[in-house]
Amino acid sequence: MAIFTVKMRASQQGRHTSGAEKTVDESRLTKTVSALIRRAKEHELGQPDFINLKIEQQNPSQIVFLPALPVTDRRGNSIEETFRIMEEELEKLGVPQPKRQIERLKSLPPMRGAAVFDIACGERLDVPFDRGIRVTYMDEENAFSDGLMRKNPFREALVLSTKTAAAEGMVAELCISDDPNYLTGYIASAQNGYIRLSPMKQKGDSRGGRIFLFDSRKGRFEDAVRFLQEQPVLVTGMPERLFPTQDDCADVIRTNLESQKANGLHRRITVIDSPQKKKIRIGKKKLLLFSSNNYLDWAMNSTMRLKTAAAVLKWGCGSGGSRLTTGTQPPHARLEAALSRFFETDDALFFSTGYAANVGILSALGKTVDVIFSDESNHASIIDGCRLAKADTVVYRHNDPVDLERKIRGCSFRSGLIVSDGVFSMGGDIVRLPEILTLGKKYGLLTMIDEAHSFGVLGKTGRGTAEHFGLKENADLIMGTLSKAAGAEGGFVCGSAFLIDFLRNNARSFIFSTAPTPADTAAAAAALKRIQRHPERIRRLQRNMKLFEQALTDFGFDISVNSAVVPIPVGDEETALRASNRLRQLGFWIPAIRYPSVPRGKAILRAALTASHTEKELRAAAKALASVLIRE
Ligand code: PMP
């Protein structure tokens, strides 16, 4: 049967994205071509705008069969140690100046081929220097045995290094993959085989390189190049399949963590040694808390604590099971009734957290409707819910009804949903609710608003965004959390009877998770009562928003305060961290918020206000912010 070599090269705007070649018999040619096209199109470097396919018939009698180099593994405890192992292997091969060879490998500019150095005189042999020598016309025998054409860096490298090692005069090949997900490199030689080395770099690093160390006393360079570039080779006796070791997995995770640290994105948990009140203590240091979502300062309220303690004494610590099996007790039912009365809806559903509520609601609705329109700045729990949904998610520009309408009109659907934060958790700005409700009506879409930061905060009685805008109507689904202004814990959704019944039967975070504890439930119910009985706290919080805006203006900022969440833009992650640490020294706890909570390079200091802050404290915080940000 005729044998063909198929070569694929793909690029996007002139930039190489992927390349591969296969040598197969005629019966597998069509499948090979389509698999290579798929591989080009699905490459993580991006969709190519140019795919070059070259198919050449080979003369079977001219194909050289080479046994695969034997493979061994050597592993370092760090990247530096792995390079030391490489050095040691070069010494074993008698290569002069091993350190210098490794430096050459590390300092190569991005190049498709390999740079070749003559170890007899130290000279670089491949010219011009920008291309390198590209080894082609090679494959493993029976290439299809390893599934269809998914990239397997190890197998491809073993084929290449087996051919390379067979070139006359070749002493060794050194390689670091340019694949940002592949941390393993190697040193290969006819003498000592293929030695896998890892880790050689951090995950996400797309720098790589390949050098050939050649000995001009043992072969002619021109002959070696001809062999590498023209001689068809099939490699036999490839290892069956190489599974990763547990160390490989640990390397991937460890290097990921290292790169988070290197990019200023690593976080540590700070233990606060005092209860949720505005004055806190961390170790011996006393600080004024400006980062709590306990906006109305109910978390330490004595009535709430007594009610919670009484519920624990009466109903116990755990709820015993999921809400649909054994986990619903009178406190849960009472709370849901109270929530639906508060928001004037038919029914309500209580979840263990706001996060669980959003993930459950959106994944369940998204199983049924065709499309979800979601604001680009929505909270992570909404994003995660959309990710779990089968519906398409269409992301519209932040708080931009014009963009939303354009996207709605550009989309074909029979049923859909618009979802938005009520107060955006990082921007602190308020959803343009009237426009969202109008668009919902106009295009027959359900609407859902996450009132996590507006329930208890906006509106005269804390009923959130609809009350803030003075609207009689509200979204179809009002979602919220009891963990913020209510000072307790747990998520909820209120809406019409059929919607809530649907969610009760379909929201998996509700169905498959143990019910909130009697303590959480009682605390939530007590908080809801407090919010209703003490509108003066809401007024105090709203007054504090105005006072803080004035204080920020007086100290030179141009920031409008729309809610209890006040982002102070910084930008650079490290600068934000430094500013936050400095504020801590000055006695203020205002955390730096970085990616992934906000986009990269858009770090903020996020100040959160409570009803209990005094004017003096608000002004002191504004002054401290100015001293670290404006005068820095
Ligand atoms: N939605 C928004 C807008 C939030 O900010 C948060 C909490 N950060 C949640 C939902 C999740 O609520 P919970 O903390 O109760 O899980």
Side-chain angles (χ1 to χ4, degrees):
M1 210 184 292
I3 293 192
F4 292 87
T5 296
V6 188
K7 290 185 180 180
M8 176 277 287
R9 271 187 301 119
S11 59
Q12 187 191 55
Q13 294 180 347
R15 187 179 61 107
H16 174 80
T17 53
S18 71
E21 66 166 81
K22 290 275 135 198
T23 298
V24 293
D25 65 38
E26 201 169 357
S27 68
R28 294 182 292 191
L29 184 59
T30 320
K31 260 192 166 171
T32 304
V33 168
S34 66
L36 282 174
I37 293 176
R38 202 168 65 224
R39 177 161 158 179
K41 291 184 68 168
E42 288 171 5
H43 201 278
E44 62 182 34
L45 284 181
Q47 271 275 351
D49 51 29
F50 178 72
I51 301 176
N52 187 334
L53 271 173
K54 184 167 159 189
I55 304 171
E56 295 163 89
Q57 187 166 355
Q58 300 292 352
N59 180 346
S61 68
Q62 294 198 344
I63 295 177
V64 167
F65 289 84
L66 293 173
L69 292 176
V71 179
T72 46
D73 260 297
R74 294 200 62 186
R75 177 175 301 278
N77 283 321
S78 63
I79 294 169
E80 295 71 39
E81 194 182 325
T82 315
F83 276 106
R84 278 199 293 278
I85 297 173
M86 188 182 250
E87 202 180 312
E88 198 183 299
E89 291 296 339
L90 282 169
E91 273 163 14
K92 283 189 203 161
L93 290 168
V95 172
Q97 297 182 296
K99 274 201 176 65
R100 168 124 179 74
Q101 316 299 355
I102 291 174
E103 275 319 306
R104 284 171 159 161
L105 172 69
K106 284 183 178 171
S107 58
L108 280 180
M111 199 168 62
R112 301 269 307 287
V116 189
F117 294 93
D118 187 348
I119 62 164
C121 59
E123 218 175 275
R124 183 160 171 190
L125 298 174
D126 58 302
V127 267
F129 286 170
D130 56 340
R131 273 193 86 242
I133 299 298
R134 305 237 330 261
V135 187
T136 70
Y137 296 110
M138 62 194 168
D139 201 351
E140 54 185 283
E141 202 187 22
N142 302 323
F144 264 83
S145 58
D146 181 46
L148 249 192
M149 220 67 53
R150 252 179 307 123
K151 186 175 166 80
N152 185 326
F154 163 67
R155 295 185 83 85
E156 289 177 10
L158 182 57
V159 166
L160 184 145
S161 62
T162 299
K163 182 175 180 189
T164 304
E168 243 181 61
M170 192 62 73
V171 179
E173 175 195 352
L174 306 182
C175 177
I176 304 172
S177 166
D178 61 2
D179 183 332
N181 295 314
Y182 195 64
L183 316 179
T184 307
Y186 63 85
I187 171 169
S189 63
Q191 191 179 318
N192 290 339
Y194 181 101
I195 302 164
R196 301 177 83 219
L197 300 171
S198 63
M200 298 224 72
K201 62 179 187 179
Q202 292 192 351
K203 193 174 160 67
D205 186 348
S206 57
R207 280 170 308 174
R210 185 189 305 280
I211 65 172
F212 296 157
L213 299 174
F214 188 77
D215 189 343
S216 59
R217 293 162 299 198
K218 297 196 176 137
R220 272 165 43 103
F221 180 57
E222 294 75 19
D223 293 344
V225 171
R226 199 169 315 112
F227 175 80
L228 295 173
Q229 293 188 336
E230 292 171 25
Q231 173 61 54
V233 162
L234 284 178
V235 176
T236 62
M238 288 288 287
E240 258 295 283
R241 197 182 146 193
L242 208 71
F243 288 99
T245 63
Q246 287 187 329
D247 284 340
D248 287 330
C249 299
D251 278 349
V252 169
I253 293 164
R254 214 177 282 123
T255 51
N256 193 303
L257 193 60
E258 275 174 29
S259 81
Q260 272 183 321
K261 285 182 185 166
N263 293 320
L265 297 173
H266 185 251
R267 301 160 192 229
R268 275 178 211 287
I269 295 177
T270 304
V271 176
I272 294 179
D273 299 295
S274 54
Q276 262 309 302
K277 292 195 71 108
K278 69 173 177 183
K279 289 187 176 162
I280 56 162
R281 195 171 47 75
I282 298 176
K284 289 203 173 103
K285 178 96 185 152
K286 289 191 176 144
L287 293 143
L288 203 49
L289 182 61
F290 274 95
S291 76
S292 175
N293 299 325
N294 179 24
Y295 302 129
L296 296 176
D297 207 5
W298 287 122
M300 275 294 283
N301 174 263
S302 51
T303 311
M304 268 181 63
R305 283 191 287 159
L306 282 173
K307 297 260 184 207
T308 307
V312 174
L313 292 178
K314 180 158 182 187
W315 300 105
C317 295
S319 61
S322 98
R323 293 288 310 279
L324 287 174
T325 54
T326 46
T328 295
Q329 292 166 320
H332 299 88
R334 280 202 293 270
L335 172 65
E336 286 174 343
L339 282 165
S340 59
R341 275 199 305 277
F342 184 80
F343 283 104
E344 296 173 10
T345 56
D346 297 343
D347 206 350
L349 197 60
F350 183 44
F351 293 75
S352 42
T353 63
Y355 181 91
N358 272 337
V359 168
I361 297 164
L362 289 160
S363 58
L365 285 171
K367 193 170 73 172
T368 314
V369 301
D370 300 327
V371 61
I372 301 174
F373 295 96
S374 174
D375 188 291
E376 67 181 342
S377 299
N378 275 343
H379 187 255
S381 52
I382 294 181
I383 296 171
D384 293 356
C386 291
R387 283 182 182 155
L388 283 174
K390 293 214 175 71
D392 289 331
T393 302
V394 175
V395 175
Y396 60 91
R397 276 213 294 270
H398 176 52
N399 227 353
D400 183 347
V402 176
D403 187 50
L404 172 58
E405 180 159 23
R406 196 171 50 237
K407 296 219 157 110
I408 294 173
R409 291 179 75 90
C411 212
S412 79
F413 56 87
R414 280 164 307 147
S415 55
L417 169 79
I418 306 172
V419 60
S420 176
D421 280 8
V423 163
F424 290 88
S425 57
M426 294 301 143
D429 49 333
I430 303 170
V431 64
R432 293 173 67 170
L433 186 64
E435 287 95 329
I436 297 277
L437 297 186
T438 305
L439 288 176
K441 274 226 178 65
K442 184 168 170 190
Y443 295 102
L445 293 159
L446 287 175
T447 49
M448 167 171 163
I449 301 294
D450 175 341
E451 304 276 2
H453 299 275
S454 34
F455 163 51
V457 175
L458 296 186
K460 223 168 135 201
T461 62
R463 281 172 168 78
T465 50
E467 191 180 26
H468 168 82
F469 285 106
L471 301 178
K472 283 204 184 65
E473 305 204 308
N474 208 334
D476 299 294
L477 288 166
I478 305 161
M479 176 271 163
T481 169
L482 293 141
S483 65
K484 304 189 192 295
E489 188 93 21
F492 66 86
V493 60
C494 295
S496 56
F498 82 97
L499 281 174
I500 299 300
D501 199 25
F502 173 83
L503 293 174
R504 198 179 285 123
N505 284 281
N506 291 278
R508 293 168 68 84
S509 59
F510 175 83
I511 301 171
F512 296 107
S513 182
T514 298
T517 63
D520 285 335
T521 315
L528 190 58
K529 272 209 187 106
R530 296 311 69 220
I531 288 173
Q532 287 169 281
R533 288 192 188 157
H534 295 278
E536 76 283 358
R537 281 212 187 187
I538 300 170
R539 282 198 293 277
R540 263 212 316 272
L541 175 61
Q542 292 172 353
R543 182 207 61 169
N544 279 355
M545 295 175 203
K546 290 208 182 82
L547 288 175
F548 195 50
E549 182 175 276
Q550 186 57 51
L552 286 172
T553 310
D554 292 347
F555 286 102
F557 290 96
D558 180 17
I559 290 172
S560 64
V561 175
N562 303 300
S563 65
V565 177
V566 188
I568 323 286
V570 179
D572 176 63
E573 280 81 16
E574 288 293 345
T575 313
L577 264 187
R578 244 183 298 122
S580 175
N581 287 336
R582 182 82 194 96
L583 284 162
R584 204 163 142 175
Q585 287 159 6
L586 295 174
F588 298 89
W589 182 251
I590 306 180
I593 307 285
R594 292 163 284 165
Y595 176 84
S597 303
V598 289
R600 279 182 206 276
K602 295 212 165 153
I604 55 170
L605 290 177
R606 183 178 182 276
L609 310 180
T610 70
S612 306
H613 286 124
T614 62
E615 182 170 4
K616 205 168 144 203
E617 289 163 347
L618 293 166
R619 292 195 69 80
K623 188 174 172 193
L625 277 164
S627 77
V628 301
L629 289 177
I630 298 181
R631 287 188 211 125
E632 211 185 26

